[in-house]
Amino acid sequence: MDFQRFYQTWYDQLHHHIHHLHKAPRPPTTDDHHHQLTQLVNKVMFHFSEYYRVKSLAAKQDVLSVFSARWSTTLERSLHWIAGWRPTTAFHLIYTESSILFESRIVDILHGLRTGDLGDLSPAQFTGVSELQCETVQQENSITDLLSDYDSRMDLIQYDEASALIGGKCVDLDKKIEGLVKIVEKADELRLRTLKAVVELLTPQQAVEFLIAAAQLHFGIHRWGLNHDRERAEK
């Protein structure tokens, strides 16, 4: 199975997992509910881990295809950072969801009623999210610099190789591509590491809400992208 077909299957299965998250008991009122939420979160996280495992294998075989992300819409590709979503997006999502839920339940919260959702993050959780965000920004910038350096080197290499080809010399492009494979792997490792770290900072209920929000963002952008591509094709 090529990665494009794998992705479609994976995407359909993600819908299935998110459907189960929606049906999960929230807020959890028993130990069984807490256990159920934890299991559901673990299943979704394994699903993401499997995605990056297969993507890594695909990148080793054909990194240019993975980098171009042909399975995505034009809109999605325009938002990509190194063949995928930007890791710091996770923090914007948490802050947005937390703010929306906090404002909608501010009266209850002011009366001391705990909601247990993303609008009820503790000071320690906010601190943890903020510290993780700073670390992720630094790592994201570092990988961006790696790609920039790679692009600069490739510009020089392309000039040298054009001269070599004109001179009848042999050119080995495979070794040049290995650098891009490593950059994509670093980006994907940061994506998965960030996702895991965010989930670990949250309670099972909050993790469920975060994963639902992340998936809804993913699904929504994909739908908008499909509509946009369809409209362009019809013109």
Side-chain angles (χ1 to χ4, degrees):
M1 178 185 294
D2 63 22
F3 188 74
Q4 189 163 352
R5 281 187 291 170
F6 163 80
Y7 178 81
Q8 187 56 57
T9 300
W10 180 89
Y11 183 81
D12 292 340
Q13 291 173 343
L14 181 61
H15 272 279
H16 177 75
H17 286 300
I18 299 305
H19 173 71
H20 283 288
L21 290 185
H22 273 293
K23 294 174 63 177
R26 287 180 289 151
T29 56
T30 67
D31 289 342
D32 185 59
H33 287 170
H34 281 282
H35 180 67
Q36 185 178 345
L37 291 179
T38 300
Q39 282 191 318
L40 289 171
V41 169
N42 289 341
K43 285 182 180 179
V44 175
M45 294 307 298
F46 177 79
H47 193 58
F48 278 109
S49 295
E50 185 67 5
Y51 168 77
Y52 288 113
R53 183 189 70 80
V54 177
K55 185 181 176 185
S56 177
L57 295 174
K60 288 182 173 68
Q61 293 179 345
D62 186 359
V63 68
L64 296 180
S65 176
V66 169
F67 204 88
S68 64
R70 292 175 296 175
W71 53 88
S72 300
T73 64
T74 305
L75 174 61
E76 288 172 294
R77 288 194 292 273
S78 72
L79 299 173
H80 275 179
W81 171 80
I82 312 183
W85 57 278
R86 187 176 286 274
T88 46
T89 304
F91 304 102
H92 298 302
L93 188 60
I94 285 182
Y95 292 136
T96 299
E97 289 296 310
S98 179
S99 177
I100 291 172
L101 289 171
F102 178 83
E103 290 177 5
S104 68
R105 298 171 186 174
I106 189 169
V107 175
D108 290 338
I109 293 173
L110 290 176
H111 281 86
L113 298 176
R114 304 300 301 272
T115 59
D117 56 22
L118 282 175
D120 193 21
L121 293 175
S122 69
Q125 285 178 308
F126 269 117
T127 299
V129 170
S130 179
E131 291 175 349
L132 180 60
Q133 181 181 17
C134 291
E135 294 173 8
T136 305
V137 167
Q138 292 176 351
Q139 294 170 38
E140 197 177 273
N141 289 340
S142 177
I143 297 173
T144 299
D145 289 342
L146 285 177
L147 181 62
S148 179
D149 291 343
Y150 175 83
D151 287 340
S152 297
R153 290 197 305 273
M154 286 303 294
D155 287 341
L156 293 173
I157 288 170
Q158 287 171 3
Y159 175 80
D160 292 340
E161 287 177 348
S163 300
L165 287 171
I166 292 173
K169 297 180 181 179
C170 180
V171 176
D172 185 1
L173 290 176
D174 289 341
K175 290 184 178 179
K176 312 296 189 300
I177 295 297
E178 288 178 4
L180 185 58
V181 173
K182 292 178 180 178
I183 292 172
V184 172
E185 286 181 344
K186 284 181 178 293
D188 282 342
E189 287 169 1
L190 180 58
R191 278 185 269 265
L192 183 58
R193 189 164 64 248
T194 300
L195 195 59
K196 288 181 176 179
V198 167
V199 168
E200 288 175 1
L201 285 170
L202 304 175
T203 66
Q205 177 186 348
Q206 292 166 343
V208 165
E209 292 170 352
F210 168 71
L211 291 172
I212 289 175
Q216 287 176 333
L217 178 62
H218 184 176
F219 299 154
I221 292 175
H222 185 66
R223 284 195 300 271
W224 295 334
L226 287 175
N227 291 335
H228 181 262
D229 287 349
R230 190 178 300 113
E231 290 173 0
R232 288 182 59 195
E234 292 173 353
K235 289 182 179 179

